[in-house]
Amino acid sequence: MANVSIHDVHKRYDDFHAVKGVSLEIKDKEFLVLVGPSGCGKTTTLRMVAGLESITEGQILIGNTIVNDLPPMDRDIAMVFQNYALYPHMSVYDNMAFGLKMRKFAKDEIKKRVENAADILGITDHLARKPRQLSGGQRQRVALGRAIVRNPQVFLFDEPLSNLDAKLRVQMRVEIKKLHQRLATTSIYVTHDQVEAMTLGDRVVVMKDGLIQQVGEPLELYNHPANKYVAGFIGSPAMNFAEVTIRSVGNGLVAENSAMRLVVPDELKGRLAAHAGKPATLGIRPEDLRMANSSDPIDQTFEAVVEVAEQLGSEIILDVTVGKANMVASVEPTVKVRPQEKVRLAVNPAGLRFFDATSEAAI
Amino acid sequence: MIEGAAWRRWVFFRIPLALFLIFLLFPFYWMVITTFRPDSELYIAWQRPNYAPFWTWKPTLAHVQYLFEETAFLTWLWNTMFISICATIISLFCGVLGGYALSRLNFPFAGGLGTAIFVTYLVPQTLLFIPLSEIIRNYKLGDTPWALILTYPTFLIPFCTWLMMGFFKSIPKELEECARIDGASRWKAMVYIILPVAVPGILSAGIFAFTLSWNEFIYALVFLSSPEQKTVPVGVVSELIRGDVFFWGALMAGALLGSIPVAIAYSFFVEHYVSGLTGSVKG
């Protein structure tokens, strides 16, 4: 068990600056998820921790050891790859035993550990098979098993679920979570899927263009995104954005554009006051929108035209246009609307977020 | 497959395929029939009545017998086998290591070096044997098997290296990375993981190298002179064509028996060989 410290790490390729100064403290037993679009530097960061990429600048510590110049085999880590990377010519047993054999464990100790791991993962019946005789989910389990038999200080996961179909992905996600609760090994998990990030991570790191955008617990990212990018990345369906201008009216503030005029709730007034008269970006999550009724104050509602209504059973996802902008609202399943119908949507004032129009940082 | 009416399958698939097969297999058939045809049938004019050029009613083993009794064919066969196997082992060893290095170790100019090695393969042997014969003479290797065992790799190593380079590139690098995280050094990862996975490729390269050295003619003709040192292709041609007299029956018997080991090698590994050429790694 160990903590991992990443200090101001850079990775430069010949003409490409892939990671631009990433610093992270991963606590012992923590499950940290790196999430971001492809090319954001998350996998490169992970591979630098693994020792598969050299570190251009900065320092990485596992436990109290600086590992910058240690080869992967001496870092006491285990990694699960996106394509499983199972050794095709070896049986499942030998795949899981390989790391222990390389480290010269005694035969019966190897047997005990492999059988124990196979038991945890429910692949005891497949130990004699070759990887190509297994289904995708079983292969993934073998890859996990190969990691856990070693009992390493840190687990590294590189998009381990992206090759699975949607149903299996949800199932394996739960298993990885259970596995972590059981083994309590420090883990770093890379994914581009924000749902995986939110459900698995003790803390989530959102990355973009080689830079960390925000680090925090999943709900913190959801409720208090540091900037417009994080706000749009976390949450599904994504947060709606509208360009507005902040104006002071009496002793209050309103955010308005040609299609809407919303009163700024009191809690936000202090921070927004400095932006009065300036443009800003308003963010509102689909789940903070609902169909308005007659008791809603007029300055907490706006008019929208329904484009598409998607019935999900538990809710209806409305794709609407507000002025010229598109928005998505998640409304109660009992609502009856037709395409092109004009509706009034009410906002939950506590759900309003504002971002600086130029820096995109949260206000 | 061709779909639709039966005649379409015949016209567009079966008949062209049959023609192609006949075209392809006729030389082999001619070799076989000539081997077993008595001289009395071989050396008569085409215009004679009752002449059946594509068949014989009096098959004989006389030519095979002649080959074994009157020439050093068994020695040639042994020479060819020994030389081919040694040259193949040397070339495969260098080719596998070179191919691995060029495809996996990211050293500067790896790509350019790979191309340069391939270019050496393109230098025609008909040019290369001139400087090589000088070297052979200086090291006093002329008329020994080592003259060929050491010169065949000059074209086999580039070939094997290039083939293995392509094959190693098709193996996902995660396999090796995973092995290295699992505690293997680069060397161990290569020996335990990459080489076993590359077996189809190694076999293909090996069969190709073996066939190329088995059939090689010009170096063997130039570097070997005494009859008991010769290889099958050279021995058969130089001992069974005397002046303008062609011992066709024995020549063809030599060709037939000489091609059997290669045919066996191919058929034995054919499954691996095909998957090697298509570079498949089942994972």
Side-chain angles (χ1 to χ4, degrees):
Chain A
M1 306 298 128
N3 56 322
V4 177
S5 310
I6 302 173
H7 293 308
D8 196 26
V9 159
H10 289 258
K11 178 69 193 182
R12 282 188 200 87
Y13 296 102
D14 293 338
D15 48 2
F16 181 55
H17 199 167
V19 177
K20 303 168 183 165
V22 163
S23 295
L24 282 171
E25 281 297 328
I26 300 130
K27 295 187 279 283
D28 188 21
K29 296 177 185 164
E30 187 177 24
F31 199 111
L32 184 91
V33 179
L34 299 177
V35 66
S38 51
C40 72
K42 58 191 191 298
T43 295
T44 311
T45 306
L46 188 79
R47 289 171 60 85
M48 284 193 284
V49 176
L52 298 171
E53 299 280 349
S54 61
I55 299 161
T56 314
E57 201 180 299
Q59 223 174 37
I60 295 180
L61 289 92
I62 297 176
N64 298 318
T65 324
I66 298 172
V67 296
N68 281 34
D69 298 319
L70 278 186
M73 56 184 285
D74 296 329
R75 296 192 181 194
D76 201 10
I77 48 170
M79 186 155 168
V80 178
F81 291 84
Q82 179 175 357
N83 63 1
Y84 322 130
L86 299 179
Y87 312 131
H89 58 297
M90 291 185 186
S91 68
V92 168
Y93 182 94
D94 288 333
N95 259 285
M96 287 163 72
F98 183 76
L100 300 173
K101 279 182 191 160
M102 284 293 116
R103 281 159 214 275
K104 304 233 165 14
F105 277 72
K107 267 231 170 71
D108 42 342
E109 171 71 11
I110 294 179
K111 190 161 185 288
K112 205 177 85 191
R113 286 205 191 189
V114 170
E115 278 168 1
N116 185 31
D119 188 43
I120 293 175
L121 293 162
I123 49 175
T124 310
D125 295 341
H126 309 313
L127 282 177
R129 294 201 194 169
K130 289 277 169 66
R132 66 167 165 275
Q133 296 166 298
L134 301 177
S135 68
Q138 288 165 338
R139 287 179 199 188
Q140 190 56 70
R141 273 171 230 252
V142 177
L144 287 174
R146 193 167 55 178
I148 64 178
V149 289
R150 293 245 322 277
N151 196 15
Q153 294 200 62
V154 183
F155 281 142
L156 305 176
F157 297 91
D158 185 11
E159 309 212 15
L161 304 183
S162 340
N163 281 9
L164 300 175
D165 62 53
K167 198 175 165 192
L168 208 49
R169 199 178 307 162
V170 174
Q171 200 183 329
M172 288 305 293
R173 200 169 74 203
V174 175
E175 291 209 21
I176 290 179
K177 183 95 183 166
K178 276 190 199 156
L179 202 60
H180 180 253
Q181 283 165 357
R182 176 166 181 167
L183 301 172
T185 305
T186 314
S187 303
I188 307 178
Y189 185 106
V190 162
T191 178
H192 61 262
D193 179 356
Q194 56 95 14
V195 179
E196 264 174 45
M198 295 286 282
T199 50
L200 282 171
D202 293 328
R203 279 191 307 156
V204 175
V205 181
V206 181
M207 288 183 74
K208 185 193 167 206
D209 298 334
L211 287 169
I212 291 180
Q213 302 294 312
Q214 190 174 3
V215 186
E217 287 169 19
L219 279 183
E220 190 183 333
L221 298 192
Y222 179 83
N223 289 326
H224 304 289
N227 57 38
K228 188 181 161 191
Y229 181 78
V230 176
F233 193 82
I234 300 289
S236 173
M239 184 182 262
N240 299 301
F241 295 108
E243 301 307 321
V244 294
T245 309
I246 310 294
R247 285 192 201 298
S248 29
V249 175
N251 58 355
L253 290 170
V254 292
E256 64 173 9
N257 64 15
S258 57
M260 60 168 76
R261 182 187 158 92
L262 298 171
V263 69
V264 174
D266 291 344
E267 311 89 77
L268 289 172
K269 259 192 213 161
R271 277 175 281 158
L272 265 178
H275 286 74
K278 291 187 205 156
T281 304
L282 164 73
I284 178 93
R285 294 200 180 274
E287 44 279 38
D288 288 323
L289 291 174
R290 59 183 169 77
M291 300 299 277
N293 53 41
S294 50
S295 63
D296 285 313
I298 195 80
D299 55 8
Q300 286 177 8
T301 65
F302 56 85
E303 195 163 76
V305 180
V306 176
E307 295 287 333
V308 180
E310 297 173 283
Q311 281 281 3
L312 298 187
S314 60
E315 58 181 339
I316 297 175
I317 306 287
L318 291 181
D319 283 57
V320 298
T321 47
V322 182
K324 287 197 182 88
N326 292 313
M327 283 200 177
V328 176
S330 160
V331 300
E332 310 88 88
T334 50
V335 170
K336 299 250 184 304
V337 287
R338 284 183 312 277
Q340 303 311 319
E341 186 178 332
K342 274 191 181 171
V343 294
R344 265 200 105 70
L345 296 173
V347 302
N348 168 16
L352 288 178
R353 300 283 174 271
F354 290 92
F355 304 95
D356 191 289
T358 46
S359 74
E360 299 196 342
I363 298 170
Chain B
M1 282 297 285
I2 310 275
E3 291 180 13
W7 69 268
R8 283 176 58 92
R9 219 171 300 155
W10 280 99
V11 168
F12 293 111
F13 182 68
R14 291 188 181 156
I15 294 173
L17 188 69
L19 289 175
F20 184 70
L21 267 180
I22 290 169
F23 180 75
L24 199 72
L25 292 178
F26 182 75
F28 295 94
Y29 176 73
W30 194 247
M31 182 168 79
V32 173
I33 203 75
T34 310
T35 302
F36 296 112
R37 177 176 287 219
D39 276 339
S40 59
E41 276 186 25
L42 277 175
Y43 300 104
I44 54 173
W46 280 71
Q47 296 89 341
R48 283 271 283 276
N50 298 331
Y51 179 65
F54 300 115
W55 194 242
T56 176
W57 298 109
K58 290 175 272 182
T60 171
L61 286 173
H63 301 308
V64 179
Q65 203 180 353
Y66 180 87
L67 191 70
F68 282 109
E69 287 174 2
E70 303 297 318
T71 70
F73 185 74
L74 277 179
T75 317
W76 300 339
L77 210 55
W78 162 250
N79 289 344
T80 317
M81 188 78 81
F82 176 68
I83 290 167
S84 302
I85 288 175
C86 288
T88 302
I89 289 171
I90 295 173
S91 311
L92 216 48
F93 180 75
C94 299
V96 166
L97 293 184
Y100 177 85
L102 286 171
S103 63
R104 283 297 158 89
L105 311 179
N106 287 321
F107 57 93
F109 312 118
L113 201 58
T115 313
I117 284 175
F118 189 62
V119 168
T120 65
Y121 179 65
L122 300 178
V123 178
Q125 291 175 38
T126 39
L127 284 181
L128 215 54
F129 85 86
I130 301 168
L132 279 177
S133 60
E134 179 79 7
I135 296 171
I136 295 295
R137 195 168 51 98
N138 288 345
Y139 285 93
K140 298 194 169 51
L141 292 171
D143 209 21
T144 67
W146 297 102
L148 299 186
I149 292 174
L150 297 177
T151 49
Y152 284 177
T154 56
F155 60 91
L156 292 182
I157 290 178
F159 176 81
C160 290
T161 306
W162 192 256
L163 202 101
M164 288 317 298
M165 203 168 100
F167 198 85
F168 284 132
K169 274 184 185 159
S170 75
I171 298 174
K173 68 179 191 325
E174 284 87 354
L175 277 187
E176 197 178 356
E177 289 174 347
C178 192
R180 296 187 60 204
I181 288 176
D182 262 351
S185 60
R186 195 179 263 282
W187 175 256
K188 276 189 174 170
M190 188 183 93
V191 172
Y192 289 113
I193 305 298
I194 300 301
L195 291 190
V197 173
V199 162
I202 296 173
L203 278 181
S204 322
I207 288 176
F208 256 118
F210 182 77
T211 316
L212 283 173
S213 14
W214 186 274
N215 294 333
E216 206 283 333
F217 186 78
I218 189 154
Y219 288 179
L221 181 71
V222 174
F223 299 147
L224 305 176
S225 45
S226 46
E228 69 276 8
Q229 294 290 354
K230 285 182 176 168
T231 59
V232 171
V234 174
V236 167
V237 169
S238 62
E239 303 295 315
L240 293 171
I241 303 175
R242 302 190 189 137
D244 57 351
V245 182
F246 288 71
F247 288 73
W248 278 121
L251 264 174
M252 286 304 180
L256 178 66
L257 295 175
S259 48
I260 283 174
V262 178
I264 290 174
Y266 264 98
S267 57
F268 193 63
F269 296 119
V270 72
E271 231 168 90
H272 280 305
Y273 170 74
V274 170
S275 70
L277 282 188
T278 49
S280 76
V281 177
K282 291 166 193 155

